[in-house]
Amino acid sequence: MGKVARKPFDTAAFLAAEGPGRSIRNYTAKQVFFSQEHPADAVFYLQTGRAKLTVLSKGGKEATVTLLAAGDFFGEESIAEAGTLRTVTASAITACTALRIVRAEILRTLKADHKFSTFFLKFIVVRGMRTRRI
């Protein structure tokens, strides 16, 4: 008996379509994806539009920490341990379409597919480097 050939993982198709644990959602300008201090239960992939990540200080001042464009991930704190809270608020600047990937599905995919894991990790590292230069 021969091995069953597994179809190569298609990152673009995974990020473009709904599937188990993945849903496409549309947001209007100024609509909130998620709020700081709420449970981190999903990662988002911005398919279209522009968004921002802001943080609210204990003194009540809001600061924008990152601007997002199509092709960006956000909400990655949800891949930390279960029960983690959001560290920022994510909101749309313009009308947006985003793929919401629940925690269990993003963890399963990161574990199951090396190509996607590398793609995701590169994004996180590059954004971290870009953020530090500001």
Side-chain angles (χ1 to χ4, degrees):
M1 286 193 189
K3 288 185 178 182
V4 175
R6 200 170 85 160
K7 192 172 159 183
F9 187 81
D10 186 343
T11 298
F14 177 81
L15 295 172
E18 293 182 320
R22 303 188 325 268
S23 59
I24 294 175
R25 298 183 177 188
N26 294 306
Y27 296 83
T28 59
K30 298 185 181 180
Q31 188 174 358
V32 173
F33 294 88
F34 56 78
S35 297
Q36 185 175 337
E37 298 299 323
H38 288 162
D41 57 356
V43 171
F44 290 77
Y45 178 75
L46 195 58
Q47 293 177 331
T48 65
R50 303 231 350 122
K52 65 181 177 177
L53 302 180
T54 58
V55 64
L56 189 63
S57 73
K58 290 181 181 173
K61 293 196 179 206
E62 181 179 276
T64 299
V65 293
T66 305
L67 295 174
L68 303 167
D72 286 345
F73 287 98
F74 57 103
E76 62 275 2
E77 67 269 21
S78 67
I79 63 174
E81 65 184 287
T84 299
L85 297 178
R86 298 284 185 194
T87 57
V88 296
T89 295
S91 55
I93 296 172
T94 65
C96 295
T97 301
L99 178 69
R100 182 180 185 274
I101 311 168
V102 298
R103 181 178 189 275
E105 178 62 10
I106 193 76
L107 290 174
R108 185 200 66 74
T109 306
L110 288 168
K111 190 178 213 181
D113 191 77
H114 178 72
K115 183 178 174 184
F116 180 76
S117 297
T118 300
F119 175 80
F120 185 79
L121 184 60
K122 281 182 182 178
F123 173 82
I124 299 302
V125 170
V126 168
R127 185 169 72 204
M129 290 170 28
R130 187 176 66 211
T131 303
R132 284 192 197 109
R133 280 193 254 165
I134 295 174

